[in-house]
Amino acid sequence: MTAVKAGEIEGLLRRGPDPRIPVILVYGPDTGLVTERARKLAEDFVPDPADPFALVRIDGDALASDPGRLCDEAGTMGLFGGRRSIWIRPGSRNYAPAVEAVLSAPVAEARIVVEAGDLAKNNPLRTLCERSPRALAIPCYADDERTLADLIDRTLQERGLRIDRAAREVLARSLGGDRRASLMEIEKLALYAAGEGTVTLDHVEAITSDVAASVLNTLIDAAFDGRHAAVERDYRRFRHEGLDPGVVLGSALRHALTLLTTRLDNPDKTPAMMVATWRGLHFKRKASLEGQLGTWGPSTLRQAAVALQGAVLACRRAEPELAHALASAALLRVAEAGARRRR
């Protein structure tokens, strides 16, 4: 088995995978982290990532239409010799046959990085790479506290900064589960503190936005409150933050299930009494959540959960632009249902 364990990934990336292993699959629900790691693996293998002969990008759907192309690219020597990287970007069609073929073909000083989405355990591409001795399968899940702290330190060090312990702890708590969004927040902080040597708690409080709470909760509450215009406005901000649409849909689904569980577990309590049992709730959300628990019944919450689950699955298979359109449409449908409940 060549599936890499989560705790071994950062060390593997620092020292570099065995160059004798030609295929590296990078997959998981954190699309920002998947892209970051795929880019690092593809670019670090070649002397000049800007050279199109050294770093070849192939769209997954194009590869599905022409499976033999991957073996051709993998067996081709560079114009001036040297190593080459082949970076396969995500697609909606099955290109596992192309990867299977290259695993048994000669590879001329090339690394093949396959960037994919959240693959199920029985997905053909994942199964293929986990079982082959000529491939690595690297999963990418949401950052935990340790990996977030490491990400903060490394990103700031690259910009000539260090960070106080208290500032790091507050910053880590404010970051969401998407690597791309976390990097944007850290880089924004680095720009603000540039030239000062050390990032302090004052810097963090002045510049960082709580991606998980400020963006996602505001957007999700607007949807379940039935505030159609606010959903449109906040989703535009959500896209500007650079997060993946699957992140917000997953959060909206968890919110619907939390509301449903709260309603079912407390049939005789008022909305205010139900909300009082929620831990860590920001006081500004209290009135909104009481309203949601008062207007959304168990049957409509089940319907919303089913619709959101379907949208999550659709987003995982879609191109980025279509995924954003699907996510926005799903949230607007929730908002329309919320508005009807309040009439």
Side-chain angles (χ1 to χ4, degrees), residues 4 17 25 72 78 87 91 121 126 128 143 179 187 208 226 250-251 269 271 294 300:
V4 182
L25 170 66
D72 291 342
W87 182 0
K121 212 168 198 178
R126 177 176 171 182
L128 185 66
D143 290 317
R179 174 63 71 96
E187 288 168 358
T208 60
S251 296
K269 292 184 178 179
T300 51

Side-chain angles (χ1 to χ4, degrees), residues 26 33-43 87 113 115:
V26 189
L33 183 55
V34 169
T35 299
E36 180 201 345
R37 284 176 171 168
R39 178 183 291 109
K40 177 176 176 58
L41 287 164
E43 293 182 350
W87 182 0
V113 180
E115 178 185 345

Side-chain angles (χ1 to χ4, degrees), residues 2-19 21 23-26 37 40-41 44 111 135-140 146 150:
T2 49
V4 182
K5 295 179 181 179
E8 301 171 349
I9 295 173
E10 291 300 331
L12 174 71
L13 293 175
R14 278 194 290 269
R15 66 177 179 270
D18 187 338
I21 297 178
V23 177
I24 304 176
L25 170 66
V26 189
R37 284 176 171 168
K40 177 176 176 58
L41 287 164
D44 285 0
R111 171 179 288 173
L136 291 177
I138 299 178
C140 298
R146 182 181 62 82
D150 183 60

Side-chain angles (χ1 to χ4, degrees), residues 154-181:
R154 283 190 291 107
T155 306
L156 292 176
Q157 284 172 6
E158 289 169 1
R159 288 150 183 78
L161 295 166
R162 58 180 298 276
I163 185 169
D164 286 345
R165 180 177 177 179
R168 184 193 300 107
E169 291 175 355
V170 171
L171 177 59
R173 287 198 301 269
S174 76
L175 298 176
D178 183 272
R179 174 63 71 96
R180 186 184 297 116

Side-chain angles (χ1 to χ4, degrees), residues 131-153:
R131 291 178 177 175
S132 173
R134 301 188 72 209
L136 291 177
I138 299 178
C140 298
Y141 299 106
D143 290 317
D144 58 20
E145 185 176 345
R146 182 181 62 82
T147 53
L148 272 176
D150 183 60
L151 177 67
I152 291 167
D153 286 340

Side-chain angles (χ1 to χ4, degrees), residues 256-267:
L257 294 174
T258 300
L259 291 176
L260 176 60
T261 302
T262 303
R263 287 293 307 265
L264 294 176
D265 290 348
N266 303 279

